[in-house]
Amino acid sequence: MPEIDHTVHVALGERAYDILIGPRLLDEAGTILAERFAGRRYGIITDETVAKAQLPRLVASLDAAGLGHTEIVLPAGEATKSWSYLGQAVEGILAARLERGDLVIALGGGVIGDLAGFAASIARRGMDFVQMPTSLLAQVDSSVGGKTGINSPHGKNLIGAFHQPRLVMADLSTLDTLSPRQFAAGYAEVVKYGLIDDEDFFFWLEENRAEIFAGGPARGEAIARCCAHKARVVIEDEKELGVRALLNLGHTFGHALEKDTGYSDRLLHGEGVAIGMVLAHGFSARLGLAPSQDTGRIAAHLKASGLPTTMADIPGILGSTETLMAAIAQDKKVSRGALTFILTRGIGKAFIERNVDAQAVAGFIESQRP
């Protein structure tokens, strides 16, 4: 029997699904899929890096269970979340003659999860898919909740659909192959859950960070707690019409910085989120909403985790404040041209603030520039 350490249920009625968390789940994937989805064929979408490290394990498991499959391998990196590679993924699904009743498997990090989920949502007018996240960021955040999509030259994640997976399988062993930088980038999303509305979780992370990074039992517990948190939010607000926007803490600043750096290795998504969360708390403190010492405490924890915390930590030259503000104006939370930010009254006390003054934001960004 597969070894499953934690199971988190996402209760969405007829579209409900489980998040399975445990070691070596890729090696047991065939058994699990055959039991849950009898008679299906599978289209595996992955990237070149994950294909070398993890794809053979999944293929061997599917073969052992007698499950038919095809593989679509795309380049690694944020730039893959584009129209051209989305088209390549969809055409690969069609070329393999996968039917509407078959399943797409997203094997990879957040980029592949987002792109493969979007491809599944539009191929044959909608196919089911399974998330098999292989990065910490994907396991705690992007694989859960049904947000799928690609980037636009106008901004990050502006093209996509809400399309829930049928199952999420988080294999903890895949995290052992991540570089320290990639693992740290994912950890930023873990910290985010504590900063939104669970200060006890943030304090727990301060105490258990070393064990999480070392791969001890705290790692699986942290992932399960993040998934349970996100599941509760998604159940309450699946289409991000209200409280789900809180999950974007730090993302408005972070996405603008990602766009400015060309969605490149200069700034990984989680690194942008780390800087963005510090900026969100700093901006809140400047507005008199949050204690300034909280900003320092958060920055210290993120820095100790190997993450950048200031705009000065980004290599190369950043665009102008006006350029960053133009990116912020394209944020998905903008309504009728008015800026919406996730601000905070302290650790674990995030809230949605609408009609944020653009000049105040621009002045704050200018003050934070290196």
Side-chain angles (χ1 to χ4, degrees):
M1 292 293 293
E3 183 180 349
I4 299 172
D5 293 343
H6 305 272
T7 299
V8 178
H9 185 65
V10 184
L12 288 171
E14 294 181 352
R15 292 173 297 107
Y17 56 94
D18 289 331
I19 305 164
L20 309 181
I21 302 165
R24 315 299 302 178
L25 288 185
L26 286 185
D27 303 307
E28 303 292 341
T31 300
I32 295 170
L33 294 174
E35 180 180 309
R36 291 179 178 244
F37 310 109
R40 310 290 187 98
R41 294 174 62 232
Y42 296 87
I44 306 167
I45 300 178
T46 189
D47 67 40
E48 293 167 350
T49 301
V50 177
K52 294 176 182 177
Q54 311 298 348
L55 182 59
R57 298 172 56 198
L58 175 59
V59 167
S61 180
L62 296 181
D63 286 343
L67 302 179
H69 56 83
T70 191
E71 297 85 46
I72 301 164
V73 181
L74 303 176
E78 188 72 31
T80 298
K81 284 177 59 172
S82 66
W83 283 114
S84 60
Y85 289 113
L86 173 69
Q88 188 171 323
V90 172
E91 292 296 338
I93 290 170
L94 301 178
R97 297 188 178 182
L98 294 171
E99 300 174 359
R100 184 179 290 180
D102 293 326
L103 282 110
V104 172
I105 294 176
L107 177 68
V111 168
I112 287 297
D114 285 2
L115 183 142
F118 190 26
S121 77
I122 59 177
R124 301 197 184 279
R125 293 195 173 97
M127 296 175 63
D128 289 336
F129 80 111
V130 174
Q131 289 273 18
M132 296 189 184
T134 60
S135 70
L136 180 59
L137 186 149
Q139 290 190 3
V140 301
D141 193 71
S142 61
S143 68
V144 180
K147 276 189 178 181
T148 71
I150 58 175
N151 300 328
S152 160
H154 295 286
K156 188 176 172 73
N157 296 331
L158 294 181
I159 305 158
F162 288 95
H163 188 54
Q164 298 292 343
R166 290 293 305 278
L167 178 68
V168 179
M169 297 172 55
D171 183 334
L172 297 175
S173 71
T174 63
L175 304 182
D176 295 333
T177 66
L178 299 179
S179 68
R181 184 186 180 194
Q182 287 283 356
F183 189 89
Y187 184 70
E189 293 280 6
V190 176
V191 175
K192 177 189 74 176
Y193 287 101
L195 299 181
I196 291 171
D197 64 1
D198 191 350
E199 64 176 353
D200 288 341
F201 183 49
F202 178 76
F203 300 154
W204 181 85
L205 290 174
E206 288 184 315
E207 296 176 359
N208 291 276
R209 178 181 57 81
E211 184 180 322
I212 293 169
F213 275 70
R219 177 181 290 184
E221 182 177 349
I223 292 170
R225 289 178 70 165
C226 291
C227 288
H229 187 159
K230 185 160 190 181
R232 290 193 299 271
V233 174
V234 170
I235 292 166
E236 182 177 350
D237 179 25
E238 181 180 1
K239 298 295 181 69
E240 199 175 302
L241 300 175
V243 296
R244 187 168 179 177
L246 291 171
L247 296 173
N248 287 312
L249 175 65
H251 285 57
T252 302
F253 288 116
H255 284 171
L257 294 170
E258 282 187 86
K259 182 178 184 298
D260 192 73
T261 53
Y263 304 121
S264 68
D265 284 346
R266 281 179 62 196
L267 186 70
L268 301 180
H269 172 66
E271 293 171 338
V273 169
I275 296 171
M277 290 189 299
V278 175
L279 291 174
H281 281 78
F283 184 51
S284 298
R286 171 170 287 203
L287 295 177
L289 298 169
S292 59
Q293 60 266 32
D294 281 358
T295 306
R297 183 172 184 174
I298 294 162
H301 183 71
L302 294 170
K303 187 173 183 179
S305 305
L307 286 159
T309 58
T310 70
M311 293 166 65
D313 293 332
I314 302 172
I317 299 173
L318 288 175
S320 66
T321 296
E322 290 74 17
T323 300
L324 294 174
M325 287 300 299
I328 286 173
Q330 286 279 14
D331 183 79
K332 299 186 302 297
K333 298 184 293 301
V334 170
S335 178
R336 304 297 182 189
L339 300 183
T340 297
F341 273 76
I342 309 305
L343 299 181
T344 180
R345 295 186 177 89
I347 294 172
K349 300 174 183 177
F351 65 97
I352 302 168
E353 180 72 351
R354 307 188 190 281
N355 299 314
V356 175
D357 182 65
Q359 289 187 335
V361 177
F364 175 70
I365 289 176
E366 190 65 28
S367 74
Q368 300 299 304
R369 297 181 64 86

